[in-house]
Amino acid sequence: MGRKVILDVDPGIDDAMALCLALGNPDLEVVAITAVGGNVSPTQSTRNVQAIIEQLDPPRWPRLGAASEPDNRLAVDRRSLYGSDGLGETSFAVAERQHLLPSEKVICDQVRDAPHLVTIIALGPLTNIARAFIRDPELPALVGQIVIMGGTVSGPGNITPAAEFNMFCDPVSAQTVFRSPSTKTLVPLDVTNRVELGYDLFNRLPDESNRTGQLLRQLLPQAFRGYRQQFGLEGIHVHDTVTLMSVLRPELFTTKSMAGDVETQGDLTIGATVFDRRRAPAWRHNMEVVTDMRKNAVVEAIIDGLNGRFRHE
Ligand code: BDR
Ligand code: CA
């Protein structure tokens, strides 16, 4: 059995690519996929998670968790990047499901079932993780590790000058998770931004006879359109996929122990991540932060993984 992971996602084409990579990887046992509002509304996010799983139809279906309205969410419009449904207007039909448990309950149950063994890979706002920690205060110490895509250490934000999208959407929850007594790794925007996939990606994906190839070939044109229209880029960033890769191939990434927190109030700075890097810091180190990666090797590992090729150094 591979490493047990929960993927907490807000698909989003970037999240969808990460799900393709995770569900095809024999090193991972994806015990649950929990939806959270972010790139799209909570309802749409839940629907998109179902649609992606149904399209990929992995040999073992993970538990699914339904997103609910967060208490503190700041509404952000991501439609121009990923389309109004978050999945490039693909409008996949999904089976009607009864009794989908709330994401935070699924997280609590899965962590309690395998204490210290579950890695949570958080690829959206931290609403569900914070709620799980509030619901079960012992949970932070029972999670094996949380790997978070979000924040920025030195570079600018991507949703305001100061804030990265996932932190900005729900900064109160992000702060709860940052301050919790859990083992955390942050994969910030300054690092994930360094990977830009160009149009040659289409020549390197599996073909339409493969479910991953079929799904990504439907989704990715919207991402390329969105990045060109919004940022003038002839390529796309895949923040969530790079973050997943830091779990699959940690030897390709450099980390540093740091003391991090999240701003929850400032007019200009709400959602900004702040690190105490003073010579004599007052804050305790509370997370590992990815500071560098072997970019070309990461890109190759992404392409290999999407094609079902898994290598280890
Ligand atoms: C993050 O924002 C979202 O739009 C992406 O899915 C990713 O998780 C990058 O800032
Ligand atoms: Ca995401």
Side-chain angles (χ1 to χ4, degrees), residues 242-259:
V242 172
T243 301
L244 177 69
M245 204 39 83
S246 76
V247 176
L248 293 171
R249 298 287 302 275
E251 75 280 6
L252 302 179
F253 294 79
T254 309
T255 60
K256 192 175 172 197
S257 179
M258 293 178 78

Side-chain angles (χ1 to χ4, degrees), residues 66-88:
S68 33
E69 275 309 322
D71 308 316
N72 312 293
R73 177 166 182 250
L74 300 174
V76 182
D77 193 338
R78 262 322 209 200
R79 280 176 298 187
S80 59
L81 209 51
Y82 295 136
S84 63
D85 64 351
L87 296 180

Side-chain angles (χ1 to χ4, degrees), residues 220-232:
L220 286 170
Q222 168 62 45
F224 278 92
R225 249 192 323 275
Y227 270 84
R228 191 175 58 240
Q229 283 165 3
Q230 202 166 327
F231 305 118

Side-chain angles (χ1 to χ4, degrees), residues 19-300:
L19 289 178
C20 289
L21 202 56
L23 287 165
N25 194 303
D27 293 339
L28 299 182
E29 184 194 350
V30 182
V31 293
I33 300 177
T34 49
V36 63
N39 284 313
V40 288
S41 71
T43 309
Q44 184 73 51
S45 178
T46 306
R47 193 173 195 284
N48 288 356
V49 166
Q50 286 182 239
I52 292 164
I53 301 298
E54 288 177 17
Q55 293 298 311
L56 294 174
D57 193 21
R60 281 191 58 191
W61 276 40
R63 288 272 157 78
L64 302 186
S68 33
E69 275 309 322
D71 308 316
N72 312 293
R73 177 166 182 250
L74 300 174
V76 182
D77 193 338
R78 262 322 209 200
R79 280 176 298 187
S80 59
L81 209 51
Y82 295 136
S84 63
D85 64 351
L87 296 180
E89 325 286 346
T90 40
S91 312
F92 296 115
V94 294
E96 208 45 56
R97 270 169 186 260
Q98 317 262 317
H99 308 308
L100 217 49
L101 292 173
S103 290
E104 63 266 27
K105 164 95 170 98
V106 173
I107 293 170
C108 290
D109 290 351
Q110 293 298 323
V111 172
R112 282 275 173 189
D113 269 7
H116 310 293
L117 293 180
V118 176
T119 299
I120 301 176
I121 304 175
L123 304 179
L126 292 170
T127 314
N128 293 335
I129 324 285
R131 283 194 176 160
F133 287 179
I134 291 163
R135 185 183 176 117
D136 182 350
E138 288 175 7
L139 211 71
L142 297 175
V143 174
Q145 191 192 359
I146 310 177
V147 180
I148 300 164
M149 190 286 126
T152 169
V153 178
S154 308
N158 61 352
I159 199 73
T160 71
E164 181 278 333
F165 179 84
N166 289 338
M167 300 290 119
F168 180 83
C169 283
D170 190 349
V172 173
S173 290
Q175 186 178 73
T176 301
V177 175
F178 273 36
R179 292 183 177 184
S180 70
S182 54
T183 305
K184 293 172 281 295
T185 300
L186 189 75
V187 188
L189 192 66
D190 348 19
V191 173
T192 59
N193 257 340
R194 292 184 207 156
V195 168
E196 187 181 321
L197 301 179
Y199 297 111
D200 67 329
L201 175 61
F202 289 101
N203 300 326
R204 307 192 68 194
L205 288 175
D207 66 27
E208 304 250 357
S209 64
N210 168 286
R211 284 179 177 270
T212 294
Q214 198 177 66
L215 178 62
L216 290 179
R217 284 172 189 282
Q218 291 177 82
L219 302 184
L220 286 170
Q222 168 62 45
F224 278 92
R225 249 192 323 275
Y227 270 84
R228 191 175 58 240
Q229 283 165 3
Q230 202 166 327
F231 305 118
L233 286 179
E234 298 298 329
I236 57 169
H237 294 303
V238 288
H239 310 284
D240 297 337
T241 308
V242 172
T243 301
L244 177 69
M245 204 39 83
S246 76
V247 176
L248 293 171
R249 298 287 302 275
E251 75 280 6
L252 302 179
F253 294 79
T254 309
T255 60
K256 192 175 172 197
S257 179
M258 293 178 78
D261 208 334
V262 182
E263 177 58 78
T264 57
Q265 286 183 22
D267 276 353
L268 300 176
T269 56
I270 187 165
T273 43
V274 180
F275 297 87
D276 190 348
R277 289 178 285 172
R278 292 173 289 179
R279 190 174 292 276
W283 304 354
R284 284 220 185 125
H285 287 188
N286 59 348
M287 61 180 73
E288 290 294 313
V289 178
V290 172
T291 54
D292 203 359
M293 69 180 149
R294 286 167 50 198
K295 187 182 86 173
N296 294 341
V298 169
V299 170
E300 290 311 307

